[in-house]
């Protein structure tokens, strides 16, 4: 379908019968059952797609679990292929984490499997399939198998008037060699990892999409988010895409970001736009103090008009939803961290910290027609895995020698971001970080979760074609 045809179908302002809330009511959870089966997602009243989802919907239900309270989750697989449910951002054992590389047993086709785990840490997590897709764009994270998971603590959640969960998605992916680089991070960074001569071989086919939604609705097709002047709205934002980093904004409003990947940050800050790599979450308050009808959506015009948005409507306001571009202030993780004066802290192998260098490279058309990726010169699996010693502190130096920004995810652990864009920081705890093209990031973590631990790029095609590694405990 041509993008223009799709625009005609959506028609900002059209209303669908079922709003996003229908799919997102919280479940009481001492026990949870997730049923994997084919679903129909009505992106607009006139355009539906078929995919695979949880409990008859995509996104799946917002799951709420209590931190530290043991949980039983039953997964029923009503599809013809083995499946895995990964609990993203949780510190849980490899047998239940949901990665085959770590040894989690898959849920067999038309079978079921019971998981026992004790959810921790508190915060905005999510759950999603972790199967390989390779060249099948109807498998893995290209499907609708994802949902929010909130791990609740006894801590004070702070004051807000309503809570809104927004998952960014793209649909009906296809392959192209005309990838438009959407990785304009706005941020300036030293390209310390750029090789003297860059690879000039033609690029392989990459996955892209031209159809987007927030939760299960394209812009204008679902119920608006209804607000009143003076309200404080708590937004949980997730990029559930398999393919692309995204930047979103709400014109005339600021996102007061207080948590990254579900973990409170040392310096909450207001920002005009939020960048999310696949897998990342941002929690933010928005004070509703500019009455009108607005589009909360992707900053790229073609992406937003192809569905990536939702209408925010103040009470007693009737007009066409408005959009204007946010200020061009770049996304910068470090503004949410503690100020660190000496960047040398990150480069010298100080104290009791062991440094592991991870060099990422792309090999154009290594798996023709697709690109391949190398971690320290080798695609997965590595002959000798990276070995961790329990209780020891590690510093991972991500050296991105490719022309893409990659969202890098470490399973079953949280890490502290200590350097990015050539700036030192501290106190930002994450599980996924977008490392800019030809740039470097440094993270630090304590090896306190024994068992095999998967590390990978959260872009499905990159992971499938080599961009992953396994850490083992000695
Ligand atoms: Cu990647």
């Amino acid at each position: 379908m041509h993008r223009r045809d799709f625009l005609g179908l959506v028609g900002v302002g059209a209303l669908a019968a079922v709003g996003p809330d229908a799919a997102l009511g919280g479940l009481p959870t001492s026990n949870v059952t997730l049923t994997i089966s084919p679903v129909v997602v009505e992106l607009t009243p006139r355009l539906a797609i078929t995919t695979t989802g949880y409990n008859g919907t995509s996104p799946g239900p917002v799951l709420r679990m209590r931190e530290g309270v043991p949980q039983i989750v039953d997964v029923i697989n009503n599809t013809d292929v083995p499946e895995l449910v990964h609990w993203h951002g949780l510190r849980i054992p490899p047998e239940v984490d949901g990665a085959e590389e770590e040894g989690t047993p898959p849920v067999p086709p038309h079978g079921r499997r019971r998981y026992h785990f004790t959810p921790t840490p508190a915060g905005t997590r999510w759950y999603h399939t972790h199967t390989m897709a390779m060249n099948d764009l109807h498998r893995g994270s290209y499907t609708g198998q994802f949902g929010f998971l909130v791990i609740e603590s006894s801590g004070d959640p702070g004051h807000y008037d309503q809570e809104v969960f927004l998952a960014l998605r793209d649909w009906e992916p296809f392959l192209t060699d005309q990838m438009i680089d959407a990785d304009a991070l706005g941020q300036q960074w030293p390209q310390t990892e750029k090789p003297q001569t860059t690879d000039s071989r033609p690029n392989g086919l990459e996955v892209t999409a031209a159809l987007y939604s927030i939760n299960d609705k394209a812009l204008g097709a679902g119920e608006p988010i209804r607000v009143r002047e003076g309200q404080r709205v708590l937004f949980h934002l997730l990029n559930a895409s398999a393919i692309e980093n995204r930047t979103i904004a709400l014109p005339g409003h600021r996102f007061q970001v207080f948590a990254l990947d579900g973990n409170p940050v040392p310096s909450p800050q207001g920002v005009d736009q939020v960048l999310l790599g696949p897998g990342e979450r941002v929690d933010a308050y928005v004070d509703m103090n500019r009455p009108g009808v607005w589009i909360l959506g992707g900053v790229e015009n073609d992406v937003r008009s192809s569905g990536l948005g939702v209408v925010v409507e103040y009470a007693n306001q009737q007009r066409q939803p408005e959009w204007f571009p946010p200020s061009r202030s770049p996304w910068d993780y470090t503004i949410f961290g503690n100020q660190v004066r000496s960047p040398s802290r990150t480069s010298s192998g100080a104290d009791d910290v062991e440094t592991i260098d991870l060099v990422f490279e792309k090999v154009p058309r290594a798996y023709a027609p697709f690109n391949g990726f190398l971690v320290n010169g080798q695609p997965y699996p590595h002959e000798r895995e990276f070995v961790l010693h329990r209780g020891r502190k590690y510093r991972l130096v991500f050296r991105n020698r490719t022309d893409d920004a990659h969202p890098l995810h470490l399973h079953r652990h949280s890490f502290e971001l200590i350097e990015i864009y050539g700036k030192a920081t501290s106190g930002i705890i994450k599980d996924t970080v977008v490392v800019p093209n030809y740039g470097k990031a440094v993270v630090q973590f304590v090896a306190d979760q024994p068992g095999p631990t998967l590390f990978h790029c959260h872009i499905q095609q990159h992971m499938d074609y080599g961009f992953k590694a396994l850490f083992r405990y000695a």
Side-chain angles (χ1 to χ4, degrees):
M1 176 189 298
H2 294 291
R3 184 160 285 170
R4 194 162 294 147
D5 299 338
F6 173 66
L7 285 184
L9 290 182
V10 176
V12 170
L15 291 181
V18 180
D21 290 344
L24 292 177
L27 285 185
T29 52
S30 59
N31 287 292
V32 173
T33 301
L34 283 181
T35 302
I36 304 167
S37 62
V39 297
V40 176
V41 181
E42 290 184 61
L43 294 173
T44 82
R46 296 172 61 191
L47 178 65
I49 56 118
T50 58
T51 183
T52 307
Y54 294 125
N55 295 3
T57 65
S58 176
V62 175
L63 301 179
R64 291 180 187 273
M65 298 177 184
R66 202 89 192 142
E67 184 182 24
V69 175
Q71 192 77 36
I72 298 171
V73 180
D74 287 307
V75 180
I76 299 166
N77 181 4
N78 287 343
T79 74
D80 298 331
V81 291
E83 268 302 341
L84 287 154
V85 181
H86 169 52
W87 309 94
H88 185 126
L90 272 65
R91 293 189 212 138
I92 53 176
E95 311 82 64
V96 293
D97 182 55
E100 197 161 23
E101 297 86 343
E102 296 174 343
T104 312
V107 191
H110 302 283
R112 58 191 299 156
R113 177 144 225 116
R114 174 164 281 192
Y115 297 83
H116 294 257
F117 60 85
T118 301
T120 192
T124 305
R125 315 292 164 210
W126 67 300
Y127 61 102
H128 62 86
T129 177
H130 213 288
T131 54
M132 307 267 279
M134 306 306 288
N135 63 0
D136 184 349
L137 304 188
H138 301 279
R139 282 220 69 194
S141 53
Y142 302 121
T143 71
Q145 294 172 76
F146 64 93
F148 279 96
L149 166 60
V150 179
I151 309 296
E152 298 175 323
S153 73
S154 48
D156 180 5
H159 163 77
Y160 56 88
D161 298 294
Q162 55 173 312
E163 185 177 30
V164 176
F165 291 87
L166 300 181
L168 316 182
R169 263 308 294 240
D170 31 61
W171 301 101
E172 306 290 35
F174 59 92
L175 296 161
T176 179
D177 65 351
Q178 302 294 310
M179 199 68 173
I180 297 158
D181 189 6
D183 290 335
L185 305 180
Q187 177 62 236
Q188 296 297 311
W189 65 91
Q191 298 199 336
T192 52
E193 302 302 320
K194 190 167 187 171
Q196 297 264 309
T197 51
T198 50
D199 201 326
S200 59
R201 288 174 288 180
N203 210 29
L205 295 180
E206 294 182 81
V207 184
T208 191
L211 200 51
Y212 305 89
S213 69
I214 291 186
N215 300 334
D216 58 345
K217 294 293 178 223
L219 171 60
E223 291 291 312
I225 299 168
R226 294 194 172 84
V227 303
R228 293 184 170 277
E229 189 174 3
Q231 273 191 339
R232 170 165 273 204
V233 178
L234 168 54
F235 283 98
H236 301 288
L237 309 171
L238 159 69
N239 185 347
S241 168
I243 63 181
E244 195 73 84
N245 302 320
R246 289 285 166 225
T247 300
I248 58 167
L250 173 59
H253 298 76
R254 279 169 84 75
F255 291 95
Q256 303 289 335
V257 174
F258 65 90
L260 296 178
D261 290 351
N263 310 306
V265 294
S267 309
Q269 299 284 341
V271 293
D272 290 335
Q273 52 186 325
V274 172
L275 180 140
L276 294 142
E280 287 191 302
R281 289 86 65 212
V282 167
D283 295 319
Y285 294 114
V286 176
D287 289 320
M288 294 297 168
N289 49 22
R290 188 151 173 181
V293 182
W294 305 102
I295 294 172
L296 190 172
V299 298
E300 299 154 275
N301 291 334
D302 58 339
V303 170
R304 188 177 65 259
S305 56
S306 301
L308 194 83
V310 60
V311 173
V312 174
E313 184 184 288
Y314 280 71
N316 307 314
Q317 297 283 325
Q318 271 101 33
R319 61 176 98 164
Q320 283 299 306
E322 285 180 75
W323 167 266
F324 59 83
S327 72
R328 296 183 56 83
S329 53
W331 177 254
D332 179 350
Y333 293 115
T334 66
I335 67 169
F336 307 108
N338 297 311
Q339 289 214 343
V340 174
R341 299 214 175 273
S342 110
S344 61
R345 184 192 153 206
T346 60
S347 47
S348 67
D351 45 32
D352 53 344
V353 186
E354 201 172 303
T355 297
I356 300 176
D357 262 290
L358 295 169
V359 175
F360 311 121
E361 293 163 291
K362 179 171 83 174
V363 184
R365 297 179 69 86
Y367 304 94
F370 307 122
N371 302 320
F373 289 88
L374 308 176
V375 179
N376 291 0
Q378 298 288 325
Y380 182 88
H382 295 80
E383 278 162 45
R384 292 183 58 203
E385 274 116 7
F386 301 90
V387 177
L388 306 174
H389 295 264
R390 188 175 184 174
R392 204 174 281 179
K393 197 184 273 183
Y394 292 89
R395 192 166 285 172
L396 303 180
V397 182
F398 300 143
R399 300 183 182 278
N400 180 3
R401 295 188 183 158
T402 80
D403 55 2
D404 257 337
H406 297 279
L408 304 183
H409 173 46
L410 182 65
H411 280 229
R412 306 195 311 102
H413 297 71
S414 314
F415 53 69
E416 180 185 8
L417 182 62
I418 60 172
E419 184 194 318
I420 193 162
Y421 324 121
K423 301 179 200 176
T425 185
S426 75
I428 298 172
I429 309 298
K430 290 180 64 58
D431 53 57
T432 307
V433 62
V434 178
V435 182
N437 35 313
Y438 298 128
K440 184 176 93 167
V442 185
V443 305
Q444 193 164 278
F445 71 103
V446 177
D448 56 2
Q449 297 292 320
T453 299
L454 188 62
F455 163 83
H456 64 93
C457 176
H458 220 284
I459 293 173
Q460 176 88 44
Q461 192 188 33
H462 299 177
M463 175 177 80
D464 287 346
Y465 291 97
F467 205 147
K468 58 180 170 176
L470 199 62
F471 290 87
R472 279 186 191 285
Y473 278 70

